[in-house]
Amino acid sequence: FLFPLSIFISILLGFLVGFLLSLLFKKIHVRDTIKVLGLFGVSFLLVYLENVMENIFSISGLLAVITMGISILKFYPILADRLKLKFSKIWVAAEIMLFVLVGAAVDITVFESVGIWPLILILASLFIRMLAVFISLSKTPLNVKEKFFTCISYIPKATVQAAIGAIPLTLGVTSGNLILTISVLAIFITAPIGAIGMDLSRHKLLEQTSGKAINHESN
């Protein structure tokens, strides 16, 4: 009971914070850079709030941050588009730092004790993921080729795995090092397969869509 309630409160908290920030930014006109710094501060505060309330009631600061962004997009879409451009520039450097830190924490000797089972797990997960994507597109107007290309586009995994893969290790979980190593292995396997797969299949699987677009433009 407490777990679903914790998720609900985290989402509600992020939604309310995003709504209040939308109202604030509509009334107070400052540069977008200042707004980005303000969002950073509020995000860190939400994450810190998770630690403060740990012994009282469990909430997810990261979930609240995500919901805050969704709320801002809902109530102030023009600002959300401008901030997205700002954050995309910051992410260029932040992404490099993220992967460097994750790579420095990986212990590849862990694979000596687990063998090929992590590889089998990753490949099985990819198959189930692609199957789920294909099923979820069953009621859409996409044709079979387009659905299959969408499945391929869902293969690459990197950012989320790099961001949360080290959390169990930092929390002192017994198998934290193994979890982080498998997360990095998933990046090494899925990112190239997905990128190469999309590049090789896009002309054949999306050929019909491209043709429609060309015909539409010519008309």
Side-chain angles (χ1 to χ4, degrees):
F1 175 75
L2 292 178
F3 183 70
L5 182 61
S6 174
I7 295 176
F8 174 76
I9 292 179
S10 301
I11 294 175
L12 180 61
L13 175 63
F15 183 83
L16 292 176
V17 171
F19 175 71
L20 294 176
L21 287 175
S22 299
L23 295 179
L24 179 65
F25 290 147
K26 285 181 179 179
K27 293 185 177 181
I28 301 178
H29 299 283
V30 294
R31 297 181 60 181
D32 289 342
T33 303
I34 303 299
K35 295 175 183 176
V36 168
L37 294 176
L39 286 176
F40 268 124
V42 174
S43 299
F44 287 132
L45 180 61
L46 290 173
V47 175
Y48 176 72
L49 183 63
E50 176 183 349
N51 297 327
V52 172
M53 298 186 62
E54 183 177 3
N55 296 326
I56 303 174
F57 185 79
S58 178
I59 64 171
S60 173
L62 295 178
L63 184 58
V65 170
I66 295 175
T67 311
M68 178 184 69
I70 296 174
S71 181
I72 293 175
L73 177 61
K74 172 66 177 179
F75 295 107
Y76 203 169
I78 297 177
L79 174 63
D81 291 336
R82 296 205 306 264
L83 293 179
K84 184 167 61 176
L85 295 176
K86 291 288 185 179
F87 279 109
S88 64
K89 295 178 181 178
I90 298 174
W91 178 241
V92 173
E95 187 176 23
I96 295 175
M97 295 177 59
L98 172 63
F99 281 96
V100 168
L101 292 174
V102 171
V106 174
D107 182 10
I108 60 175
T109 59
V110 174
F111 288 114
E112 296 178 0
S113 60
V114 294
I116 64 171
W117 288 110
L119 177 61
I120 296 175
L121 174 63
I122 293 172
L123 294 178
S125 301
L126 283 180
F127 174 77
I128 296 174
R129 180 182 177 87
M130 294 178 65
L131 180 61
V133 171
F134 192 87
I135 295 174
S136 67
L137 295 173
S138 59
K139 299 296 184 179
T140 65
L142 299 178
N143 58 42
V144 176
K145 290 184 178 181
E146 292 166 342
K147 292 177 182 178
F148 189 66
F149 181 83
T150 305
C151 294
I152 296 176
S153 69
Y154 267 77
I155 291 178
K157 306 299 298 176
T159 307
V160 175
Q161 280 66 26
I164 68 176
I167 293 179
L169 181 61
T170 58
L171 294 177
V173 177
T174 304
S175 302
N177 200 8
L178 176 61
I179 295 173
L180 173 60
T181 305
I182 294 177
S183 298
V184 175
L185 178 63
I187 297 173
F188 286 152
I189 294 175
T190 62
I193 292 178
I196 295 173
M198 286 188 290
D199 187 59
L200 295 178
S201 63
R202 59 191 176 94
H203 294 294
K204 294 182 179 180
L205 299 181
L206 300 180
E207 184 176 1
Q208 186 174 354
T209 302
S210 301
K212 290 179 181 178
I214 294 174
N215 292 332
H216 179 71
E217 292 177 358
S218 62
N219 293 332

